[in-house]
PDB file of all heavy atoms in Angstrom:
ATOM      1  N   ASN A   1     -44.419 -12.462  23.445  1.00 96.00           N
ATOM      2  CA  ASN A   1     -44.872 -12.122  22.092  1.00 96.00           C
ATOM      3  C   ASN A   1     -45.757 -10.878  22.186  1.00 96.00           C
ATOM      4  O   ASN A   1     -46.865 -10.954  22.710  1.00 96.00           O
ATOM      5  CB  ASN A   1     -45.644 -13.302  21.505  1.00 96.00           C
ATOM      6  CG  ASN A   1     -46.210 -12.998  20.129  1.00 96.00           C
ATOM      7  OD1 ASN A   1     -46.039 -11.907  19.591  1.00 96.00           O
ATOM      8  ND2 ASN A   1     -46.910 -13.970  19.557  1.00 96.00           N
ATOM      9  N   PRO A   2     -45.296  -9.718  21.678  1.00 95.00           N
ATOM     10  CA  PRO A   2     -46.065  -8.474  21.825  1.00 95.00           C
ATOM     11  C   PRO A   2     -47.406  -8.511  21.093  1.00 95.00           C
ATOM     12  O   PRO A   2     -48.308  -7.740  21.419  1.00 95.00           O
ATOM     13  CB  PRO A   2     -45.136  -7.404  21.235  1.00 95.00           C
ATOM     14  CG  PRO A   2     -44.177  -8.146  20.355  1.00 95.00           C
ATOM     15  CD  PRO A   2     -44.031  -9.509  20.940  1.00 95.00           C
ATOM     16  N   ASP A   3     -47.533  -9.410  20.109  1.00 94.00           N
ATOM     17  CA  ASP A   3     -48.775  -9.495  19.331  1.00 94.00           C
ATOM     18  C   ASP A   3     -49.740 -10.550  19.860  1.00 94.00           C
ATOM     19  O   ASP A   3     -50.803 -10.773  19.274  1.00 94.00           O
ATOM     20  CB  ASP A   3     -48.450  -9.819  17.862  1.00 94.00           C
ATOM     21  CG  ASP A   3     -47.553  -8.758  17.237  1.00 94.00           C
ATOM     22  OD1 ASP A   3     -47.770  -7.562  17.540  1.00 94.00           O
ATOM     23  OD2 ASP A   3     -46.632  -9.129  16.491  1.00 94.00           O
ATOM     24  N   TRP A   4     -49.362 -11.199  20.954  1.00 95.00           N
ATOM     25  CA  TRP A   4     -50.189 -12.303  21.456  1.00 95.00           C
ATOM     26  C   TRP A   4     -51.501 -11.769  22.028  1.00 95.00           C
ATOM     27  O   TRP A   4     -51.536 -10.744  22.704  1.00 95.00           O
ATOM     28  CB  TRP A   4     -49.444 -13.078  22.537  1.00 95.00           C
ATOM     29  CG  TRP A   4     -50.059 -14.408  22.873  1.00 95.00           C
ATOM     30  CD1 TRP A   4     -49.801 -15.588  22.273  1.00 95.00           C
ATOM     31  CD2 TRP A   4     -51.036 -14.667  23.886  1.00 95.00           C
ATOM     32  NE1 TRP A   4     -50.556 -16.593  22.851  1.00 95.00           N
ATOM     33  CE2 TRP A   4     -51.327 -16.053  23.844  1.00 95.00           C
ATOM     34  CE3 TRP A   4     -51.694 -13.874  24.823  1.00 95.00           C
ATOM     35  CZ2 TRP A   4     -52.244 -16.664  24.691  1.00 95.00           C
ATOM     36  CZ3 TRP A   4     -52.618 -14.468  25.671  1.00 95.00           C
ATOM     37  CH2 TRP A   4     -52.881 -15.855  25.596  1.00 95.00           C
ATOM     38  N   SER A   5     -52.579 -12.488  21.758  1.00 94.00           N
ATOM     39  CA  SER A   5     -53.892 -12.086  22.262  1.00 94.00           C
ATOM     40  C   SER A   5     -54.638 -13.303  22.774  1.00 94.00           C
ATOM     41  O   SER A   5     -54.652 -14.357  22.133  1.00 94.00           O
ATOM     42  CB  SER A   5     -54.708 -11.431  21.140  1.00 94.00           C
ATOM     43  OG  SER A   5     -56.073 -11.362  21.503  1.00 94.00           O
ATOM     44  N   GLY A   6     -55.262 -13.156  23.926  1.00 91.00           N
ATOM     45  CA  GLY A   6     -56.078 -14.220  24.496  1.00 91.00           C
ATOM     46  C   GLY A   6     -57.356 -14.471  23.720  1.00 91.00           C
ATOM     47  O   GLY A   6     -58.023 -15.487  23.922  1.00 91.00           O
ATOM     48  N   LYS A   7     -57.689 -13.567  22.804  1.00 92.00           N
ATOM     49  CA  LYS A   7     -58.906 -13.746  21.991  1.00 92.00           C
ATOM     50  C   LYS A   7     -58.655 -14.687  20.812  1.00 92.00           C
ATOM     51  O   LYS A   7     -59.569 -15.348  20.331  1.00 92.00           O
ATOM     52  CB  LYS A   7     -59.402 -12.391  21.475  1.00 92.00           C
ATOM     53  CG  LYS A   7     -59.975 -11.509  22.582  1.00 92.00           C
ATOM     54  CD  LYS A   7     -60.445 -10.179  22.029  1.00 92.00           C
ATOM     55  CE  LYS A   7     -61.016  -9.317  23.157  1.00 92.00           C
ATOM     56  NZ  LYS A   7     -61.392  -7.980  22.660  1.00 92.00           N
ATOM     57  N   ASN A   8     -57.419 -14.684  20.339  1.00 86.00           N
ATOM     58  CA  ASN A   8     -57.060 -15.556  19.216  1.00 86.00           C
ATOM     59  C   ASN A   8     -55.666 -16.098  19.511  1.00 86.00           C
ATOM     60  O   ASN A   8     -54.685 -15.719  18.880  1.00 86.00           O
ATOM     61  CB  ASN A   8     -57.095 -14.774  17.904  1.00 86.00           C
ATOM     62  CG  ASN A   8     -56.859 -15.665  16.701  1.00 86.00           C
ATOM     63  OD1 ASN A   8     -57.043 -16.883  16.781  1.00 86.00           O
ATOM     64  ND2 ASN A   8     -56.433 -15.068  15.601  1.00 86.00           N
ATOM     65  N   SER A   9     -55.594 -16.965  20.505  1.00 90.00           N
ATOM     66  CA  SER A   9     -54.298 -17.279  21.111  1.00 90.00           C
ATOM     67  C   SER A   9     -53.479 -18.283  20.307  1.00 90.00           C
ATOM     68  O   SER A   9     -54.009 -19.252  19.768  1.00 90.00           O
ATOM     69  CB  SER A   9     -54.508 -17.805  22.537  1.00 90.00           C
ATOM     70  OG  SER A   9     -55.373 -18.916  22.532  1.00 90.00           O
ATOM     71  N   ASP A  10     -52.179 -18.026  20.267  1.00 92.00           N
ATOM     72  CA  ASP A  10     -51.210 -18.927  19.648  1.00 92.00           C
ATOM     73  C   ASP A  10     -50.636 -19.819  20.747  1.00 92.00           C
ATOM     74  O   ASP A  10     -50.005 -19.311  21.673  1.00 92.00           O
ATOM     75  CB  ASP A  10     -50.100 -18.098  19.003  1.00 92.00           C
ATOM     76  CG  ASP A  10     -48.903 -18.941  18.598  1.00 92.00           C
ATOM     77  OD1 ASP A  10     -49.088 -20.160  18.387  1.00 92.00           O
ATOM     78  OD2 ASP A  10     -47.789 -18.389  18.504  1.00 92.00           O
ATOM     79  N   PRO A  11     -50.825 -21.153  20.683  1.00 95.00           N
ATOM     80  CA  PRO A  11     -50.330 -22.034  21.749  1.00 95.00           C
ATOM     81  C   PRO A  11     -48.810 -22.038  21.907  1.00 95.00           C
ATOM     82  O   PRO A  11     -48.297 -22.432  22.946  1.00 95.00           O
ATOM     83  CB  PRO A  11     -50.814 -23.427  21.312  1.00 95.00           C
ATOM     84  CG  PRO A  11     -51.888 -23.201  20.313  1.00 95.00           C
ATOM     85  CD  PRO A  11     -51.558 -21.902  19.650  1.00 95.00           C
ATOM     86  N   ALA A  12     -48.076 -21.587  20.882  1.00 97.00           N
ATOM     87  CA  ALA A  12     -46.615 -21.710  20.902  1.00 97.00           C
ATOM     88  C   ALA A  12     -45.901 -20.501  21.483  1.00 97.00           C
ATOM     89  O   ALA A  12     -44.679 -20.499  21.613  1.00 97.00           O
ATOM     90  CB  ALA A  12     -46.101 -21.958  19.490  1.00 97.00           C
ATOM     91  N   SER A  13     -46.657 -19.451  21.833  1.00 97.00           N
ATOM     92  CA  SER A  13     -46.052 -18.276  22.451  1.00 97.00           C
ATOM     93  C   SER A  13     -47.049 -17.694  23.450  1.00 97.00           C
ATOM     94  O   SER A  13     -48.090 -18.293  23.715  1.00 97.00           O
ATOM     95  CB  SER A  13     -45.659 -17.242  21.393  1.00 97.00           C
ATOM     96  OG  SER A  13     -46.813 -16.718  20.745  1.00 97.00           O
ATOM     97  N   SER A  14     -46.741 -16.525  23.999  1.00 97.00           N
ATOM     98  CA  SER A  14     -47.579 -15.986  25.067  1.00 97.00           C
ATOM     99  C   SER A  14     -47.227 -14.527  25.320  1.00 97.00           C
ATOM    100  O   SER A  14     -46.223 -14.019  24.829  1.00 97.00           O
ATOM    101  CB  SER A  14     -47.344 -16.804  26.348  1.00 97.00           C
ATOM    102  OG  SER A  14     -48.042 -16.265  27.441  1.00 97.00           O
ATOM    103  N   SER A  15     -48.052 -13.894  26.132  1.00 97.00           N
ATOM    104  CA  SER A  15     -47.693 -12.574  26.652  1.00 97.00           C
ATOM    105  C   SER A  15     -46.602 -12.720  27.715  1.00 97.00           C
ATOM    106  O   SER A  15     -46.011 -11.739  28.148  1.00 97.00           O
ATOM    107  CB  SER A  15     -48.929 -11.897  27.260  1.00 97.00           C
ATOM    108  OG  SER A  15     -49.523 -12.751  28.219  1.00 97.00           O
ATOM    109  N   ALA A  16     -46.335 -13.956  28.129  1.00 98.00           N
ATOM    110  CA  ALA A  16     -45.236 -14.286  29.049  1.00 98.00           C
ATOM    111  C   ALA A  16     -44.017 -14.735  28.237  1.00 98.00           C
ATOM    112  O   ALA A  16     -44.145 -15.057  27.053  1.00 98.00           O
ATOM    113  CB  ALA A  16     -45.678 -15.405  29.993  1.00 98.00           C
ATOM    114  N   PRO A  17     -42.823 -14.796  28.852  1.00 98.00           N
ATOM    115  CA  PRO A  17     -41.621 -15.256  28.127  1.00 98.00           C
ATOM    116  C   PRO A  17     -41.635 -16.785  27.980  1.00 98.00           C
ATOM    117  O   PRO A  17     -40.955 -17.518  28.711  1.00 98.00           O
ATOM    118  CB  PRO A  17     -40.461 -14.778  29.010  1.00 98.00           C
ATOM    119  CG  PRO A  17     -41.049 -14.702  30.383  1.00 98.00           C
ATOM    120  CD  PRO A  17     -42.489 -14.328  30.214  1.00 98.00           C
ATOM    121  N   TYR A  18     -42.404 -17.262  27.026  1.00 98.00           N
ATOM    122  CA  TYR A  18     -42.705 -18.689  26.867  1.00 98.00           C
ATOM    123  C   TYR A  18     -42.724 -19.036  25.387  1.00 98.00           C
ATOM    124  O   TYR A  18     -43.362 -18.335  24.595  1.00 98.00           O
ATOM    125  CB  TYR A  18     -44.068 -18.972  27.486  1.00 98.00           C
ATOM    126  CG  TYR A  18     -44.669 -20.328  27.194  1.00 98.00           C
ATOM    127  CD1 TYR A  18     -44.359 -21.423  27.984  1.00 98.00           C
ATOM    128  CD2 TYR A  18     -45.575 -20.505  26.150  1.00 98.00           C
ATOM    129  CE1 TYR A  18     -44.935 -22.665  27.743  1.00 98.00           C
ATOM    130  CE2 TYR A  18     -46.150 -21.740  25.890  1.00 98.00           C
ATOM    131  CZ  TYR A  18     -45.825 -22.825  26.689  1.00 98.00           C
ATOM    132  OH  TYR A  18     -46.402 -24.039  26.444  1.00 98.00           O
ATOM    133  N   LYS A  19     -42.014 -20.105  24.994  1.00 98.00           N
ATOM    134  CA  LYS A  19     -41.987 -20.517  23.586  1.00 98.00           C
ATOM    135  C   LYS A  19     -41.994 -22.033  23.469  1.00 98.00           C
ATOM    136  O   LYS A  19     -41.524 -22.750  24.349  1.00 98.00           O
ATOM    137  CB  LYS A  19     -40.731 -19.982  22.883  1.00 98.00           C
ATOM    138  CG  LYS A  19     -40.701 -18.486  22.675  1.00 98.00           C
ATOM    139  CD  LYS A  19     -41.698 -17.993  21.641  1.00 98.00           C
ATOM    140  CE  LYS A  19     -41.274 -18.325  20.232  1.00 98.00           C
ATOM    141  NZ  LYS A  19     -42.200 -17.751  19.216  1.00 98.00           N
ATOM    142  N   LEU A  20     -42.512 -22.492  22.332  1.00 98.00           N
ATOM    143  CA  LEU A  20     -42.447 -23.900  21.946  1.00 98.00           C
ATOM    144  C   LEU A  20     -41.903 -23.997  20.519  1.00 98.00           C
ATOM    145  O   LEU A  20     -42.253 -23.172  19.667  1.00 98.00           O
ATOM    146  CB  LEU A  20     -43.835 -24.551  21.984  1.00 98.00           C
ATOM    147  CG  LEU A  20     -44.520 -24.698  23.342  1.00 98.00           C
ATOM    148  CD1 LEU A  20     -45.959 -25.150  23.152  1.00 98.00           C
ATOM    149  CD2 LEU A  20     -43.754 -25.680  24.228  1.00 98.00           C
ATOM    150  N   TYR A  21     -41.054 -24.996  20.278  1.00 98.00           N
ATOM    151  CA  TYR A  21     -40.541 -25.248  18.931  1.00 98.00           C
ATOM    152  C   TYR A  21     -40.552 -26.745  18.640  1.00 98.00           C
ATOM    153  O   TYR A  21     -40.319 -27.564  19.542  1.00 98.00           O
ATOM    154  CB  TYR A  21     -39.094 -24.761  18.781  1.00 98.00           C
ATOM    155  CG  TYR A  21     -38.916 -23.277  18.899  1.00 98.00           C
ATOM    156  CD1 TYR A  21     -38.486 -22.707  20.094  1.00 98.00           C
ATOM    157  CD2 TYR A  21     -39.173 -22.428  17.815  1.00 98.00           C
ATOM    158  CE1 TYR A  21     -38.317 -21.331  20.212  1.00 98.00           C
ATOM    159  CE2 TYR A  21     -39.010 -21.055  17.928  1.00 98.00           C
ATOM    160  CZ  TYR A  21     -38.591 -20.511  19.120  1.00 98.00           C
ATOM    161  OH  TYR A  21     -38.429 -19.149  19.241  1.00 98.00           O
ATOM    162  N   ASN A  22     -40.807 -27.089  17.394  1.00 98.00           N
ATOM    163  CA  ASN A  22     -40.523 -28.425  16.893  1.00 98.00           C
ATOM    164  C   ASN A  22     -39.066 -28.486  16.470  1.00 98.00           C
ATOM    165  O   ASN A  22     -38.562 -27.541  15.860  1.00 98.00           O
ATOM    166  CB  ASN A  22     -41.369 -28.737  15.648  1.00 98.00           C
ATOM    167  CG  ASN A  22     -42.839 -28.952  15.953  1.00 98.00           C
ATOM    168  OD1 ASN A  22     -43.216 -29.379  17.044  1.00 98.00           O
ATOM    169  ND2 ASN A  22     -43.689 -28.659  14.969  1.00 98.00           N
ATOM    170  N   ILE A  23     -38.394 -29.604  16.779  1.00 98.00           N
ATOM    171  CA  ILE A  23     -37.097 -29.880  16.134  1.00 98.00           C
ATOM    172  C   ILE A  23     -37.232 -31.237  15.448  1.00 98.00           C
ATOM    173  O   ILE A  23     -37.250 -32.290  16.098  1.00 98.00           O
ATOM    174  CB  ILE A  23     -35.916 -29.887  17.120  1.00 98.00           C
ATOM    175  CG1 ILE A  23     -35.835 -28.576  17.906  1.00 98.00           C
ATOM    176  CG2 ILE A  23     -34.614 -30.097  16.344  1.00 98.00           C
ATOM    177  CD1 ILE A  23     -34.588 -28.424  18.757  1.00 98.00           C
ATOM    178  N   GLY A  24     -37.392 -31.190  14.148  1.00 97.00           N
ATOM    179  CA  GLY A  24     -37.543 -32.396  13.333  1.00 97.00           C
ATOM    180  C   GLY A  24     -36.962 -32.153  11.957  1.00 97.00           C
ATOM    181  O   GLY A  24     -36.671 -31.008  11.591  1.00 97.00           O
ATOM    182  N   ASN A  25     -36.806 -33.205  11.199  1.00 95.00           N
ATOM    183  CA  ASN A  25     -36.201 -33.083   9.878  1.00 95.00           C
ATOM    184  C   ASN A  25     -37.138 -32.438   8.856  1.00 95.00           C
ATOM    185  O   ASN A  25     -36.709 -31.965   7.819  1.00 95.00           O
ATOM    186  CB  ASN A  25     -35.762 -34.472   9.382  1.00 95.00           C
ATOM    187  CG  ASN A  25     -34.435 -34.436   8.658  1.00 95.00           C
ATOM    188  OD1 ASN A  25     -33.485 -33.818   9.129  1.00 95.00           O
ATOM    189  ND2 ASN A  25     -34.359 -35.066   7.510  1.00 95.00           N
ATOM    190  N   GLY A  26     -38.463 -32.442   9.173  1.00 92.00           N
ATOM    191  CA  GLY A  26     -39.433 -31.874   8.239  1.00 92.00           C
ATOM    192  C   GLY A  26     -39.551 -32.691   6.969  1.00 92.00           C
ATOM    193  O   GLY A  26     -39.877 -32.167   5.909  1.00 92.00           O
ATOM    194  N   ASN A  27     -39.282 -34.004   7.091  1.00 91.00           N
ATOM    195  CA  ASN A  27     -39.268 -34.862   5.908  1.00 91.00           C
ATOM    196  C   ASN A  27     -39.614 -36.297   6.329  1.00 91.00           C
ATOM    197  O   ASN A  27     -38.721 -37.115   6.543  1.00 91.00           O
ATOM    198  CB  ASN A  27     -37.874 -34.825   5.262  1.00 91.00           C
ATOM    199  CG  ASN A  27     -37.800 -35.662   4.006  1.00 91.00           C
ATOM    200  OD1 ASN A  27     -38.791 -35.840   3.308  1.00 91.00           O
ATOM    201  ND2 ASN A  27     -36.620 -36.191   3.725  1.00 91.00           N
ATOM    202  N   PRO A  28     -40.906 -36.625   6.448  1.00 93.00           N
ATOM    203  CA  PRO A  28     -41.283 -37.951   6.921  1.00 93.00           C
ATOM    204  C   PRO A  28     -40.785 -39.057   5.994  1.00 93.00           C
ATOM    205  O   PRO A  28     -40.802 -38.901   4.770  1.00 93.00           O
ATOM    206  CB  PRO A  28     -42.819 -37.930   6.922  1.00 93.00           C
ATOM    207  CG  PRO A  28     -43.210 -36.523   6.734  1.00 93.00           C
ATOM    208  CD  PRO A  28     -42.071 -35.800   6.112  1.00 93.00           C
ATOM    209  N   VAL A  29     -40.325 -40.143   6.589  1.00 94.00           N
ATOM    210  CA  VAL A  29     -39.777 -41.274   5.844  1.00 94.00           C
ATOM    211  C   VAL A  29     -40.646 -42.500   6.114  1.00 94.00           C
ATOM    212  O   VAL A  29     -40.998 -42.782   7.261  1.00 94.00           O
ATOM    213  CB  VAL A  29     -38.317 -41.551   6.290  1.00 94.00           C
ATOM    214  CG1 VAL A  29     -37.779 -42.824   5.657  1.00 94.00           C
ATOM    215  CG2 VAL A  29     -37.430 -40.356   5.961  1.00 94.00           C
ATOM    216  N   HIS A  30     -40.980 -43.208   5.076  1.00 94.00           N
ATOM    217  CA  HIS A  30     -41.746 -44.435   5.223  1.00 94.00           C
ATOM    218  C   HIS A  30     -40.900 -45.448   6.000  1.00 94.00           C
ATOM    219  O   HIS A  30     -39.703 -45.584   5.751  1.00 94.00           O
ATOM    220  CB  HIS A  30     -42.109 -44.988   3.837  1.00 94.00           C
ATOM    221  CG  HIS A  30     -43.224 -45.982   3.867  1.00 94.00           C
ATOM    222  ND1 HIS A  30     -43.052 -47.279   4.269  1.00 94.00           N
ATOM    223  CD2 HIS A  30     -44.547 -45.854   3.558  1.00 94.00           C
ATOM    224  CE1 HIS A  30     -44.213 -47.922   4.198  1.00 94.00           C
ATOM    225  NE2 HIS A  30     -45.136 -47.082   3.772  1.00 94.00           N
ATOM    226  N   LEU A  31     -41.522 -46.146   6.942  1.00 94.00           N
ATOM    227  CA  LEU A  31     -40.791 -47.093   7.779  1.00 94.00           C
ATOM    228  C   LEU A  31     -40.028 -48.120   6.944  1.00 94.00           C
ATOM    229  O   LEU A  31     -38.889 -48.475   7.264  1.00 94.00           O
ATOM    230  CB  LEU A  31     -41.757 -47.800   8.737  1.00 94.00           C
ATOM    231  CG  LEU A  31     -41.139 -48.811   9.704  1.00 94.00           C
ATOM    232  CD1 LEU A  31     -40.069 -48.164  10.571  1.00 94.00           C
ATOM    233  CD2 LEU A  31     -42.220 -49.443  10.578  1.00 94.00           C
ATOM    234  N   MET A  32     -40.631 -48.567   5.852  1.00 94.00           N
ATOM    235  CA  MET A  32     -39.961 -49.568   5.004  1.00 94.00           C
ATOM    236  C   MET A  32     -38.710 -48.988   4.340  1.00 94.00           C
ATOM    237  O   MET A  32     -37.720 -49.701   4.132  1.00 94.00           O
ATOM    238  CB  MET A  32     -40.928 -50.106   3.943  1.00 94.00           C
ATOM    239  CG  MET A  32     -42.148 -50.810   4.525  1.00 94.00           C
ATOM    240  SD  MET A  32     -41.740 -52.133   5.690  1.00 94.00           S
ATOM    241  CE  MET A  32     -41.016 -53.342   4.598  1.00 94.00           C
ATOM    242  N   ASP A  33     -38.718 -47.688   4.041  1.00 94.00           N
ATOM    243  CA  ASP A  33     -37.530 -47.042   3.470  1.00 94.00           C
ATOM    244  C   ASP A  33     -36.426 -46.897   4.520  1.00 94.00           C
ATOM    245  O   ASP A  33     -35.235 -46.987   4.205  1.00 94.00           O
ATOM    246  CB  ASP A  33     -37.892 -45.670   2.886  1.00 94.00           C
ATOM    247  CG  ASP A  33     -38.766 -45.783   1.646  1.00 94.00           C
ATOM    248  OD1 ASP A  33     -38.701 -46.831   0.973  1.00 94.00           O
ATOM    249  OD2 ASP A  33     -39.535 -44.837   1.363  1.00 94.00           O
ATOM    250  N   PHE A  34     -36.845 -46.666   5.766  1.00 94.00           N
ATOM    251  CA  PHE A  34     -35.885 -46.574   6.875  1.00 94.00           C
ATOM    252  C   PHE A  34     -35.206 -47.933   7.078  1.00 94.00           C
ATOM    253  O   PHE A  34     -33.974 -48.011   7.234  1.00 94.00           O
ATOM    254  CB  PHE A  34     -36.621 -46.144   8.139  1.00 94.00           C
ATOM    255  CG  PHE A  34     -35.720 -45.761   9.287  1.00 94.00           C
ATOM    256  CD1 PHE A  34     -34.884 -44.665   9.199  1.00 94.00           C
ATOM    257  CD2 PHE A  34     -35.732 -46.489  10.468  1.00 94.00           C
ATOM    258  CE1 PHE A  34     -34.068 -44.289  10.267  1.00 94.00           C
ATOM    259  CE2 PHE A  34     -34.926 -46.129  11.546  1.00 94.00           C
ATOM    260  CZ  PHE A  34     -34.090 -45.025  11.435  1.00 94.00           C
ATOM    261  N   ILE A  35     -36.007 -48.990   7.027  1.00 94.00           N
ATOM    262  CA  ILE A  35     -35.456 -50.344   7.149  1.00 94.00           C
ATOM    263  C   ILE A  35     -34.504 -50.633   5.988  1.00 94.00           C
ATOM    264  O   ILE A  35     -33.420 -51.203   6.177  1.00 94.00           O
ATOM    265  CB  ILE A  35     -36.595 -51.384   7.209  1.00 94.00           C
ATOM    266  CG1 ILE A  35     -37.383 -51.217   8.517  1.00 94.00           C
ATOM    267  CG2 ILE A  35     -36.049 -52.806   7.086  1.00 94.00           C
ATOM    268  CD1 ILE A  35     -38.696 -51.983   8.564  1.00 94.00           C
ATOM    269  N   LYS A  36     -34.882 -50.198   4.794  1.00 94.00           N
ATOM    270  CA  LYS A  36     -34.030 -50.404   3.612  1.00 94.00           C
ATOM    271  C   LYS A  36     -32.677 -49.701   3.783  1.00 94.00           C
ATOM    272  O   LYS A  36     -31.630 -50.244   3.398  1.00 94.00           O
ATOM    273  CB  LYS A  36     -34.741 -49.881   2.366  1.00 94.00           C
ATOM    274  CG  LYS A  36     -34.069 -50.273   1.067  1.00 94.00           C
ATOM    275  CD  LYS A  36     -34.907 -49.875  -0.136  1.00 94.00           C
ATOM    276  CE  LYS A  36     -34.235 -50.299  -1.433  1.00 94.00           C
ATOM    277  NZ  LYS A  36     -35.010 -49.876  -2.607  1.00 94.00           N
ATOM    278  N   ALA A  37     -32.686 -48.499   4.373  1.00 95.00           N
ATOM    279  CA  ALA A  37     -31.428 -47.778   4.612  1.00 95.00           C
ATOM    280  C   ALA A  37     -30.536 -48.568   5.566  1.00 95.00           C
ATOM    281  O   ALA A  37     -29.315 -48.638   5.381  1.00 95.00           O
ATOM    282  CB  ALA A  37     -31.718 -46.379   5.184  1.00 95.00           C
TER     283      ALA A  37
END
């Protein structure tokens, strides 16, 4: 990440070739609704 700085660091990227991503539906479901399905 060319904009990465150790003074205000982003945990998901780096000055190194390093990345983190979430893979989720982005839509939390109540457990009782999941059971109902």
Side-chain angles (χ1 to χ4, degrees):
N1 177 0
D3 301 321
W4 194 88
S5 165
K7 290 180 180 176
N8 185 21
S9 56
D10 168 24
S13 66
S14 175
S15 54
Y18 169 86
K19 291 290 286 184
L20 294 171
Y21 295 99
N22 288 332
I23 304 188
N25 219 46
N27 182 29
V29 173
H30 198 283
L31 181 58
M32 299 306 291
D33 291 335
F34 191 65
I35 293 168
K36 191 173 181 182

